[in-house]
Amino acid sequence: MTGTINLVKLCVGAERVEDLETWQAARMAQGGQANPRHVTRMWPKRDEELLAGGSLYWVFKGLVLARQRIVRLEEVIGDDGIRRCGIVLDPQVVRTESQPRRAFQGWRYLTPADAPRDLSTTRTDTDDTPLPNDLAAALADIGIR
């Protein structure tokens, strides 16, 4: 049986999770798409594991703050004739605990054991309201997440 693996990627051009949500909503409306899609140069070698329940974890200004479930992978041929991978995502952006990440190019695999937990979507005695990015980064720097 195939296990599950995730991807982690920098969310270039977005400082906050809301920026990603706004950008994806505009792109879906413009293209008449039901799901957002992120196009990347390389096709993941572990595609079966990604499609077995994996997510794309987004890094904002050095912190993983959100994820989206990977729905499917599509071949995309660019205007330059080069084959690329379209990572089709669930439109729901799930906020996660903040997790520091150094800058990198492209994407990296992320095991479920190393992935940050989802923030609760129901109200409890503890408030899961996401911290401002700068505060979350400062806490992560001193080892508190």
Side-chain angles (χ1 to χ4, degrees), residues 40-134:
T40 185
R41 240 179 347 133
M42 303 300 290
W43 193 280
K45 290 179 174 54
R46 299 174 73 177
D47 53 355
E48 287 183 28
E49 292 170 273
L50 287 172
L51 297 174
S55 290
L56 176 58
Y57 284 78
W58 292 108
V59 178
F60 299 85
K61 296 179 77 174
L63 294 170
V64 175
L65 295 175
R67 70 173 180 85
Q68 288 177 279
R69 188 176 56 81
I70 298 172
V71 175
R72 67 182 173 278
L73 304 176
E74 296 178 338
E75 181 178 69
V76 175
I77 305 296
D79 294 337
D80 55 6
I82 295 175
R83 177 184 183 248
R84 293 179 171 84
C85 179
I87 303 170
V88 180
L89 303 166
D90 187 303
Q92 180 184 12
V93 177
V94 177
R95 292 177 187 260
T96 66
E97 291 181 336
S98 64
Q99 183 183 74
R101 256 320 138 149
R102 293 184 187 264
F104 58 91
Q105 291 185 352
W107 44 262
R108 300 287 185 265
Y109 290 112
L110 178 66
T111 65
D114 292 332
R117 293 184 315 199
D118 292 351
L119 292 178
S120 173
T121 57
T122 59
R123 198 85 178 142
T124 63
D125 289 340
T126 61
D127 184 7
D128 280 338
T129 303
L131 295 173
N133 290 352
D134 56 344

